Amino acid sequence: MAAAGGRRAKAPRGAAGRRRPRAAVLGAEGRPRAAAGRPVDEEVSSDSEPESASLGRRRREAAEEEVEETPQEKKLRLAKLYLEQLRQYEEERAVDEEEEETEPVDLIGDRLKEDVLEQKGRLQRLVAKDVQPPDPASIRVLRGHQLPITCLVISPDDRFIFSASKDGALIKCKWEVESGKRLCVVPGGKKGTEEQHMGHASQVLCMAISSDGKYLATGDRNKLIMIWDTATCKRLHIFTGHRDAVSGLSFRKGTYQLYSGSHDRSVKVWSVAENAYMETLFGHQDIITGLDSLSRDCCVTAGGRDGSVRLWKIPEESQLVFSGHQGSIDCIQLINEEHMVSGADDGSVALWGLTKKKPLALARQAHGMQDAEGLQQPYWISAVAALRNSDLVATGSHSASVKLWKCGEGFRKLEPLCDIPVVGFVNSLKFSAAGDFLVAGIGQEHRLGRWWRIKEAKNSICIIPLRQRVAAPSPKAPDVS
């Protein structure tokens, strides 16, 4: 059955995933049916009416038909039953809509709708129009990693930055935003020595921080997820189970539930508070390159070259499939609970609504074109970021700039605001919670490979201040005393 927000498909379950117990088959009265050839012991109340001979005959015939039914006939019967239920549902919905049109005006209901819309307007911060291009001299650069930055996060209170890279030694760093000082360095080791060393023994590709700032999760090429105490930088636990590199992590807002995406094409759900694995979901046909989530019990993923963005509904064990990019979808982030932004190696940036399977807005060649070995091709979009619940979006590539965008009304337009000069591959972007600065993780190489190398780039973290346009003071009211 097609869903409003895309193609709904039942998420296949792997051997490691959770399987639902098979429900008992119920008869017409809701009681379990008897197996073939067995009588059913049925309790009949003293005040029930006697069953007619014709009704009893029909039930016996139906039971005989069910016994002789082949698997193919059963599938056909169930399909017909499903289509009949679907037809009845559509008829009932049409009747309901007709009744709504003929109902008298509900002034209270209309007022409630207006209040809801007004509240949504308050939650949607319209800040893009007031953002001014930052002075390049005001951009602060933090150096410490020897190899390209692959991922970073900002603590919820905007005081600290956690970063990771392709380094073999400097695996994870903690920085103080105000002073720029490096507060903590976690050394790594060689592959297979994770139990002897506190840090990772391979490239770290992704990280996530819980909404209260207590836990940090990091994922690497060696299929491992490590959980850290952000205050002490001590490793607390290691999650294993993915069969390939871990490429996306996100905590569900307000909880310690962790989602992970991998090059093994699966999404896994973990409980960090209980150090427990919960379930596995499958559906992507290529590696998962990015993952994000907010408050709802769901997450969104970018599926690389399978060309799809997917919304995973965890309780329903289902997924919605979105398509619109022409190339590999390499990064994704939710703007709010209803919209998201993604970027691809075809140079496009897409705005999505979760009720539409196609993009609401698509900016092609968002960072322009490059001449690669005599061929003209778009600059890859390697990172996207959104200021939560606002109309401000940032994108990164290796085009020597970070771009800021304004989401138009209804997220149906993507308008460029300004370019911020940055040399190198922009592998990670994050807005501060307050929206007063943007952090970019820069590297000489792309976070997932070594297709190009920009020698003049510095492997560093750039803190970009975002200036707000000062509103003109309102004229004073005349004194009428």
Coordinates of all heavy atoms in Angstrom, one line a residue, residues 392-443:
L392 N 17.5 28.1 8.2 CA 18.9 28.3 7.8 C 19.6 26.9 7.6 O 19.6 26.1 8.5 CB 19.7 29.1 8.9 CG 21.1 29.5 8.7 CD1 21.3 30.3 7.4 CD2 21.7 30.2 9.9
V393 N 20.3 26.8 6.5 CA 21.0 25.6 6.1 C 22.4 25.9 5.6 O 22.6 27.0 5.0 CB 20.2 24.8 5.0 CG1 21.0 23.7 4.4 CG2 18.9 24.2 5.6
A394 N 23.3 25.0 5.9 CA 24.7 25.2 5.4 C 25.1 23.9 4.6 O 24.7 22.8 5.0 CB 25.7 25.4 6.6
T395 N 25.9 24.1 3.6 CA 26.4 23.0 2.8 C 27.9 23.1 2.6 O 28.5 24.2 2.5 CB 25.7 22.9 1.4 OG1 26.0 24.1 0.7 CG2 24.2 22.7 1.6
G396 N 28.6 22.0 2.5 CA 30.1 22.0 2.3 C 30.5 21.1 1.1 O 29.8 20.1 0.8
S397 N 31.6 21.4 0.5 CA 32.1 20.7 -0.6 C 33.7 20.9 -0.6 O 34.2 21.2 0.5 CB 31.5 21.1 -1.9 OG 32.1 20.4 -3.0
H398 N 34.3 20.7 -1.7 CA 35.8 21.0 -1.8 C 35.9 22.2 -2.8 O 37.0 22.3 -3.5 CB 36.6 19.8 -2.2 CG 36.3 19.2 -3.5 ND1 35.2 18.5 -3.7 CD2 37.0 19.2 -4.7 CE1 35.1 18.0 -4.9 NE2 36.2 18.4 -5.5
S399 N 34.9 23.0 -2.9 CA 34.9 24.2 -3.8 C 35.5 25.4 -3.2 O 35.3 26.5 -3.7 CB 33.5 24.4 -4.2 OG 32.7 24.7 -3.1
A400 N 36.2 25.3 -2.1 CA 36.8 26.4 -1.4 C 35.8 27.3 -0.7 O 36.1 28.5 -0.4 CB 37.7 27.3 -2.4
S401 N 34.7 26.8 -0.4 CA 33.7 27.6 0.4 C 32.7 26.8 1.1 O 32.4 25.6 0.6 CB 33.0 28.6 -0.6 OG 32.1 27.9 -1.5
V402 N 32.1 27.3 2.1 CA 30.9 26.8 2.8 C 29.8 27.7 2.4 O 30.0 29.0 2.4 CB 31.1 26.7 4.3 CG1 29.7 26.5 5.0 CG2 32.1 25.7 4.7
K403 N 28.6 27.2 2.0 CA 27.5 28.0 1.5 C 26.4 28.0 2.6 O 26.1 27.0 3.2 CB 27.0 27.5 0.2 CG 27.8 27.9 -1.0 CD 27.2 27.4 -2.3 CE 27.9 27.8 -3.5 NZ 27.7 29.3 -3.8
L404 N 25.8 29.2 2.8 CA 24.6 29.3 3.6 C 23.4 29.5 2.7 O 23.5 30.2 1.7 CB 24.8 30.5 4.6 CG 25.9 30.4 5.7 CD1 25.8 31.6 6.6 CD2 25.8 29.1 6.5
W405 N 22.3 28.9 3.1 CA 21.1 28.9 2.3 C 19.9 29.3 3.2 O 19.9 29.0 4.4 CB 20.8 27.6 1.7 CG 21.9 27.0 0.9 CD1 23.1 26.4 1.3 CD2 22.0 27.0 -0.6 NE1 23.8 26.0 0.3 CE2 23.2 26.3 -0.9 CE3 21.2 27.4 -1.6 CZ2 23.6 26.1 -2.2 CZ3 21.6 27.2 -2.9 CH2 22.8 26.6 -3.2
K406 N 18.9 29.9 2.6 CA 17.6 30.2 3.2 C 16.6 29.3 2.6 O 16.4 29.2 1.4 CB 17.2 31.6 3.0 CG 15.8 32.0 3.6 CD 15.4 33.4 3.2 CE 14.0 33.7 3.6 NZ 13.5 35.0 3.2
C407 N 15.8 28.6 3.5 CA 14.7 27.8 3.1 C 13.5 28.7 2.9 O 13.1 29.4 3.8 CB 14.4 26.7 4.1 SG 15.8 25.6 4.4
G408 N 12.9 28.7 1.7 CA 11.8 29.6 1.4 C 10.5 29.1 2.1 O 10.5 28.0 2.7
E409 N 9.5 29.8 1.9 CA 8.2 29.5 2.6 C 7.7 28.1 2.2 O 7.7 27.7 1.1 CB 7.1 30.5 2.2 CG 5.8 30.3 3.0 CD 4.8 31.4 2.6 OE1 5.2 32.4 1.9 OE2 3.7 31.3 3.1
G410 N 7.4 27.3 3.2 CA 6.9 26.0 3.0 C 8.1 25.0 2.6 O 7.8 23.9 2.1
F411 N 9.3 25.5 2.7 CA 10.5 24.7 2.3 C 10.4 24.3 0.8 O 10.9 23.2 0.4 CB 10.6 23.4 3.2 CG 10.9 23.7 4.6 CD1 9.9 23.9 5.6 CD2 12.3 23.8 5.0 CE1 10.2 24.2 6.9 CE2 12.6 24.1 6.4 CZ 11.5 24.3 7.3
R412 N 9.8 25.1 0.0 CA 9.7 24.8 -1.4 C 10.7 25.6 -2.3 O 10.6 25.6 -3.5 CB 8.3 25.1 -1.9 CG 7.2 24.2 -1.2 CD 5.9 24.4 -1.8 NE 4.9 23.4 -1.2 CZ 4.8 22.2 -1.5 NH1 5.5 21.7 -2.5 NH2 3.9 21.4 -0.9
K413 N 11.6 26.3 -1.6 CA 12.6 27.0 -2.3 C 13.9 27.1 -1.5 O 13.9 27.1 -0.3 CB 12.2 28.5 -2.6 CG 13.1 29.2 -3.5 CD 12.6 30.7 -3.7 CE 11.3 30.7 -4.5 NZ 10.8 32.1 -4.8
L414 N 15.1 27.0 -2.2 CA 16.4 27.0 -1.5 C 17.1 28.2 -2.1 O 17.5 28.2 -3.3 CB 17.1 25.7 -1.8 CG 18.2 25.3 -0.8 CD1 17.7 25.3 0.6 CD2 18.8 24.0 -1.2
E415 N 17.3 29.3 -1.3 CA 17.9 30.5 -1.8 C 19.3 30.7 -1.2 O 19.5 30.7 0.0 CB 17.0 31.7 -1.4 CG 15.6 31.6 -1.9 CD 14.7 32.6 -1.2 OE1 15.2 33.6 -0.6 OE2 13.4 32.6 -1.4
P416 N 20.3 30.9 -2.1 CA 21.7 31.1 -1.6 C 21.8 32.4 -0.9 O 21.3 33.4 -1.3 CB 22.5 31.0 -2.8 CG 21.6 31.4 -4.0 CD 20.3 30.9 -3.6
L417 N 22.5 32.4 0.3 CA 22.7 33.6 1.1 C 24.1 34.2 0.9 O 24.3 35.3 0.5 CB 22.4 33.3 2.6 CG 21.0 33.0 3.0 CD1 20.9 32.7 4.5 CD2 20.1 34.2 2.7
C418 N 25.1 33.3 1.2 CA 26.5 33.8 1.1 C 27.5 32.7 1.0 O 27.1 31.5 1.4 CB 26.8 34.7 2.3 SG 26.8 33.9 3.9
D419 N 28.7 32.9 0.6 CA 29.8 32.0 0.6 C 30.8 32.3 1.6 O 31.2 33.5 1.8 CB 30.5 31.9 -0.8 CG 29.6 31.3 -1.9 OD1 28.4 31.1 -1.6 OD2 30.1 31.0 -3.0
I420 N 31.3 31.3 2.4 CA 32.3 31.5 3.4 C 33.6 30.8 3.0 O 33.6 29.6 2.7 CB 31.8 31.0 4.8 CG1 30.5 31.6 5.2 CG2 32.9 31.1 5.8 CD1 29.8 30.9 6.3
P421 N 34.7 31.5 2.8 CA 35.9 30.9 2.2 C 36.5 29.9 3.2 O 36.8 30.2 4.3 CB 36.8 32.1 2.0 CG 36.3 33.2 2.9 CD 34.9 33.0 3.0
V422 N 36.7 28.7 2.7 CA 37.3 27.6 3.4 C 38.0 26.7 2.4 O 37.3 26.2 1.4 CB 36.2 26.8 4.2 CG1 36.9 25.5 4.8 CG2 35.6 27.6 5.3
V423 N 39.3 26.4 2.6 CA 40.0 25.6 1.6 C 40.1 24.2 2.1 O 40.6 23.9 3.3 CB 41.4 26.2 1.4 CG1 42.2 25.3 0.5 CG2 41.3 27.6 0.9
G424 N 39.7 23.2 1.3 CA 39.8 21.8 1.6 C 38.4 21.1 1.6 O 37.4 21.7 1.2
F425 N 38.4 19.8 1.8 CA 37.1 19.1 1.9 C 36.4 19.4 3.2 O 37.0 19.2 4.3 CB 37.4 17.6 1.8 CG 37.7 17.1 0.4 CD1 38.9 17.0 -0.1 CD2 36.6 16.6 -0.4 CE1 39.2 16.6 -1.4 CE2 36.9 16.1 -1.7 CZ 38.1 16.1 -2.2
V426 N 35.2 19.9 3.0 CA 34.3 20.1 4.2 C 33.6 18.8 4.5 O 32.7 18.4 3.9 CB 33.3 21.2 4.0 CG1 32.5 21.4 5.2 CG2 34.0 22.5 3.6
N427 N 34.2 18.0 5.5 CA 33.7 16.7 5.8 C 32.6 16.7 6.9 O 31.9 15.6 7.0 CB 34.8 15.8 6.2 CG 35.8 15.4 5.1 OD1 35.3 15.3 3.9 ND2 37.0 15.3 5.3
S428 N 32.5 17.7 7.6 CA 31.4 17.8 8.7 C 31.1 19.2 9.0 O 31.9 20.1 9.0 CB 32.0 17.1 10.0 OG 30.9 17.0 10.9
L429 N 29.8 19.5 9.2 CA 29.3 20.8 9.5 C 28.3 20.7 10.7 O 27.4 19.8 10.7 CB 28.6 21.4 8.3 CG 29.4 22.0 7.2 CD1 28.5 22.3 6.0 CD2 30.2 23.2 7.7
K430 N 28.4 21.6 11.6 CA 27.4 21.6 12.7 C 27.1 23.1 13.2 O 28.1 23.8 13.3 CB 27.9 20.8 14.0 CG 28.0 19.3 13.8 CD 26.6 18.7 13.7 CE 26.6 17.2 13.6 NZ 27.2 16.7 12.4
F431 N 25.9 23.4 13.3 CA 25.5 24.7 13.9 C 25.5 24.6 15.4 O 25.1 23.5 16.0 CB 24.1 25.1 13.5 CG 24.0 25.7 12.1 CD1 23.6 24.9 11.0 CD2 24.4 27.0 11.9 CE1 23.5 25.5 9.7 CE2 24.3 27.6 10.6 CZ 23.9 26.8 9.5
S432 N 25.8 25.7 16.1 CA 25.7 25.7 17.6 C 24.2 25.7 17.9 O 23.4 26.1 17.0 CB 26.4 26.9 18.2 OG 25.8 28.1 17.7
A433 N 23.8 25.3 19.1 CA 22.4 25.3 19.4 C 21.8 26.7 19.4 O 20.6 26.9 19.0 CB 22.2 24.7 20.8
A434 N 22.5 27.7 19.8 CA 22.1 29.1 19.8 C 22.1 29.7 18.4 O 21.5 30.7 18.2 CB 22.9 29.9 20.7
G435 N 22.8 29.1 17.5 CA 22.9 29.6 16.1 C 23.8 30.7 15.9 O 23.8 31.4 14.9
D436 N 24.7 31.0 16.9 CA 25.6 32.1 16.8 C 27.0 31.7 16.1 O 27.8 32.6 15.9 CB 25.9 32.8 18.1 CG 26.3 31.8 19.2 OD1 26.3 30.6 18.9 OD2 26.7 32.2 20.3
F437 N 27.2 30.4 15.9 CA 28.4 30.0 15.2 C 28.2 28.7 14.5 O 27.3 27.9 14.8 CB 29.7 30.0 16.1 CG 29.7 29.0 17.2 CD1 30.2 27.7 17.0 CD2 29.2 29.3 18.4 CE1 30.2 26.8 18.0 CE2 29.2 28.4 19.5 CZ 29.7 27.1 19.2
L438 N 29.0 28.5 13.5 CA 29.0 27.2 12.7 C 30.4 26.6 12.7 O 31.4 27.3 12.6 CB 28.6 27.6 11.2 CG 28.7 26.5 10.2 CD1 27.6 25.4 10.4 CD2 28.6 27.0 8.8
V439 N 30.5 25.3 12.9 CA 31.8 24.6 13.0 C 31.9 23.7 11.8 O 31.0 23.0 11.4 CB 31.9 23.8 14.3 CG1 33.2 23.1 14.3 CG2 31.7 24.7 15.5
A440 N 33.1 23.8 11.1 CA 33.4 23.0 10.0 C 34.6 22.1 10.2 O 35.6 22.6 10.7 CB 33.6 23.8 8.7
G441 N 34.5 20.8 9.9 CA 35.7 19.9 9.9 C 36.3 19.8 8.6 O 35.6 19.4 7.6
I442 N 37.6 20.2 8.5 CA 38.2 20.3 7.1 C 39.3 19.3 7.0 O 40.0 19.0 8.0 CB 38.9 21.7 7.0 CG1 37.8 22.8 7.3 CG2 39.4 21.9 5.6 CD1 36.6 22.8 6.4
G443 N 39.4 18.7 5.8 CA 40.5 17.8 5.5 C 41.0 17.9 4.1 O 40.4 18.5 3.3

